[in-house]
Amino acid sequence: MDTTEICKANMVSKSHDAEVSWDDEFQQLVQTFPKDKTWAGDNMYFYQGFWCPSLVLKSVISFQNHFQAFDSDVIVATFPKCGTTWLKALTFSTLYRNKFKKDEHPLFSFGPHELVRVFEYDLYLNNPFPDLENACLYQPRLFSTHVPYASLPTSIRDSNCKLICICRNPMDMFISLWHFTDKLREEKMDSVSLDEAFDKFCNGVCGFGPFFDHVLGYWKASQENPNKILFLKYEALKEDINSHLKKLAMFLGVPFTEEEEKEGVVEEIAKICSFNNLKELEVNKKGLHISGIPHTDFFRKAKVGDWSNYLTPAMVERMEKLVQEKLDNSGFTFKFS
Ligand code: A3P
């Protein structure tokens, strides 16, 4: 499959609603799940301990039931708005750096979400048996997901495939998601205010949330199995991208050679994947993401600490208490500015 076909295959109408195609048995099963709304007003269901947007519930189940991981697979696993787009670009560029010429980098022609396809919003949407062999431009296969660690298909957890995760402080993540869903909300009637969204977020009600369960699930798994799961923090990457790229390459089993380092390959990848570069590429200024969302919406400010422009002191206090409570004795910390 060439890149044009991949791009075409990625385009799915935003108006698509998986519920329309649910069969009776599935409908009955779904009735048993607690139900709520995403901040954009779409249904989501509490399934296996996380809030699954209704659009992808069926595809998550197909993914769980049918995906067979290879030991060589690499999977980018993230909570939404924690730096998925960036991590996809970095992983693709690092893993496949010897597969294309410098001036023909696929990121010049395709968005990170087209190059690293997501299981639940793309590959398994409406198709329990997608053609995974032709879903990636290069080998080894590289995919992505927002599904929490505990709900991953057993073959991912049981195989030697590698997972790369990124998390971000919950205040910036919340504000990023707020802006993102605000764009979606324009067309919807039953939306929620910033206050309501914050309240829901603090109560764990948010697509693929609770946020803290998602983050700690992957983090704990990475502590137990560091050769299988690389856990990264958005703020740390912002501070020192080069050393994290070296860590990523080492983890992927493709460390940068001395010669590559001398030639500035690390800096080059960091530059190509940088926010300013990706945001300004024509390919990211036009076109739609698989979910129907314009590519431009995935590039906003990319700042650490932008939350301080939006959250009230009372909200900050509530979040600080929550962070303390959720991370108590975990050894895990967030950087907020
Ligand atoms: P902001 O909304 O705070 O600007 P995701 O990719 O998981 O959807 O996360 C989106 C967030 O990552 C947005 O944050 C976006 O601006 C930021 N982002 C996108 N590309 C980036 C890049 N190359 N480097 C750093 N941040 C990036």
Side-chain angles (χ1 to χ4, degrees):
M1 192 187 225
D2 66 20
T3 43
T4 317
E5 283 173 284
I6 288 181
C7 193
K8 274 192 211 151
N10 274 349
M11 303 302 268
V12 167
S13 160
K14 185 178 178 180
S15 62
H16 168 83
D17 186 344
E19 281 178 328
V20 171
S21 60
W22 284 351
D23 51 37
D24 288 350
E25 196 185 332
F26 193 73
Q27 288 278 15
Q28 276 173 14
L29 178 70
V30 161
Q31 303 308 319
T32 64
F33 301 153
K35 190 174 173 180
D36 210 313
K37 296 268 184 205
T38 67
W39 308 346
D42 298 312
N43 286 335
M44 56 182 181
Y45 294 95
F46 199 59
Y47 166 69
Q48 294 190 342
F50 75 98
W51 285 101
C52 186
S54 84
L55 174 68
V56 297
L57 180 54
K58 200 170 183 181
S59 60
V60 165
I61 294 173
S62 295
F63 169 46
Q64 291 177 321
N65 288 343
H66 305 303
F67 179 70
Q68 285 304 315
F70 297 161
D71 286 343
S72 56
D73 285 345
V74 178
I75 298 167
V76 168
T78 64
F79 194 82
K81 312 327 286 173
C82 285
T84 317
T85 314
W86 193 14
L87 188 57
K88 283 184 179 188
L90 292 167
T91 308
F92 183 97
S93 305
T94 305
L95 186 62
Y96 300 139
R97 65 186 183 275
N98 294 321
K99 310 262 184 196
F100 46 81
K101 290 189 197 136
K102 221 164 68 176
D103 51 355
E104 290 175 6
H105 196 306
L107 275 173
F108 297 147
S109 314
F110 297 95
H113 297 284
E114 290 165 324
L115 294 174
V116 184
R117 296 174 68 181
V118 55
F119 289 118
E120 60 276 8
Y121 280 100
D122 177 356
L123 295 162
Y124 282 92
L125 198 69
N126 276 337
N127 187 358
F129 300 102
D131 177 8
L132 297 177
E133 301 329 305
N134 290 306
C136 305
L137 273 184
Y138 307 113
Q139 297 293 324
R141 305 189 305 182
L142 172 59
F143 301 111
S144 80
T145 187
H146 289 316
V147 170
Y149 183 75
S151 291
L152 288 176
T154 44
S155 79
I156 292 187
R157 282 182 283 135
D158 294 347
S159 71
N160 288 325
C161 77
K162 290 187 187 285
L163 293 162
I164 307 166
C165 316
I166 190 163
C167 81
R168 189 181 191 186
N169 82 61
M171 299 209 244
D172 280 329
M173 180 262 128
F174 169 77
I175 291 301
S176 183
L177 184 59
W178 169 255
H179 281 99
F180 190 73
T181 47
D182 199 38
K183 302 250 167 78
L184 306 180
R185 239 189 331 262
E186 282 163 19
E187 303 159 25
K188 314 264 176 183
M189 296 305 292
D190 42 358
S191 61
V192 293
S193 67
L194 179 71
D195 280 3
E196 278 176 280
F198 188 76
D199 189 53
K200 280 188 166 213
F201 182 65
C202 290
N203 288 325
V205 184
C206 153
F208 299 96
F211 169 84
F212 292 96
D213 292 358
H214 197 289
V215 169
L216 288 176
Y218 278 103
W219 185 73
K220 282 178 185 157
S222 76
Q223 298 293 103
E224 284 160 19
N225 202 345
N227 293 327
K228 182 180 176 66
I229 306 172
L230 178 67
F231 192 94
L232 303 169
K233 293 182 180 176
Y234 183 91
E235 297 79 10
L237 263 66
K238 289 286 278 185
E239 248 174 46
D240 180 359
I241 186 62
N242 293 346
S243 76
H244 282 90
L245 269 174
K246 289 181 199 170
K247 203 170 162 182
L248 175 64
M250 189 73 83
F251 174 78
L252 290 170
V254 288
F256 293 106
T257 61
E258 247 177 64
E259 203 181 339
E260 282 183 310
E261 290 202 22
K262 268 193 216 138
E263 284 172 1
V265 173
V266 180
E267 289 77 5
E268 219 167 82
I269 292 178
K271 194 172 162 199
I272 285 173
C273 301
S274 69
F275 176 74
N276 287 336
N277 184 63
L278 289 185
K279 190 182 163 115
E280 292 309 317
L281 286 175
E282 276 312 307
V283 64
N284 294 322
K285 285 187 177 173
K286 57 179 194 215
L288 302 178
H289 176 254
I290 178 72
S291 53
I293 298 161
H295 283 139
T296 46
D297 289 0
F298 288 86
F299 305 94
R300 193 181 64 94
K301 279 192 190 171
K303 294 261 181 272
V304 177
D306 187 42
W307 55 266
S308 62
N309 296 314
Y310 300 93
L311 300 183
T312 63
M315 285 170 160
V316 174
E317 194 184 334
R318 180 172 175 192
M319 182 58 82
E320 282 171 349
K321 276 194 189 140
L322 192 61
V323 168
Q324 210 172 2
E325 177 197 315
K326 296 290 181 186
L327 303 189
D328 193 30
N329 293 325
S330 70
F332 186 87
T333 53
F334 286 116
K335 199 164 180 296
F336 287 93
S337 55

